[in-house]
Structures are given as structure tokens and as C-alpha cells.
Amino acid sequence: MTTFQWHKVALGVLFVTFTCPSLSNYALFQIDLGTCLTLTSLGPLFSIPLVYLMKGEVVSRRAIIGATLSVTGIMIMSFTSSSQ
């Protein structure tokens, strides 16, 4: 691997192993639980365009619907739990 590729890997490791968990824990103390769960469940929606842009794979309609349903389910659960 080239030096540039190693820097990209190191940056990814930094974001995944340190920055994401620390910001998620901080968010738990600053916002309500339902909102935090909704925001952390957005990963499937972010991954769809990234797979298309970075790997050139065509994303199926089924994948888009599944990701949207998963986020919608978390939103419904968070709204019902916060209203009680």
C-alpha cells in the first residue's frame, strides 16, 4: 500500500474506533434517547450512496426500501416511547 492509502486507512480507523463512539456517548447525555437512536440508525441510508460512489455497484430498489423501513421503524419506536 502507498503512504496515501495508509493515511486513508488510519483516518478511517480514527473515525470508527474513537470519534463515532465518543460522539454517540456525548449525544446520549445531550439529547433524548429516541432522537439519539434515530440518528444512530441512519447508517444504512448513508451507506447506499457511498457504495454507489466508491465501488460503482448499482443499488437495488429493495435495498433502498429496506434501509428506509429500518430507519422508519426506529423513528416510530422513538416517538411512541418518548410520548409515554
Side-chain angles (χ1 to χ4, degrees):
M1 288 176 52
T2 64
T3 306
F4 181 70
Q5 290 172 334
W6 276 107
H7 287 291
K8 283 175 45 177
V9 169
L11 188 64
V13 168
L14 174 73
F15 281 129
V16 171
T17 60
F18 176 72
T19 308
C20 179
S22 61
L23 290 176
S24 296
N25 288 335
Y26 180 73
L28 280 172
F29 293 112
Q30 298 298 320
I31 58 179
D32 61 307
L33 181 62
T35 306
C36 185
L37 285 174
T38 302
L39 292 174
T40 57
S41 73
L42 292 176
L45 293 180
F46 291 138
S47 66
I48 289 174
L50 288 177
V51 166
Y52 179 73
L53 292 173
M54 296 178 82
K55 294 190 172 196
E57 294 180 14
V58 178
V59 181
S60 68
R61 197 172 275 166
R62 182 178 173 188
I64 295 170
I65 291 171
T68 306
L69 285 175
S70 69
V71 173
T72 305
I74 292 292
M75 288 173 61
I76 290 170
M77 286 181 3
S78 69
F79 289 139
T80 58
S81 67
S82 65
S83 65
Q84 294 177 355

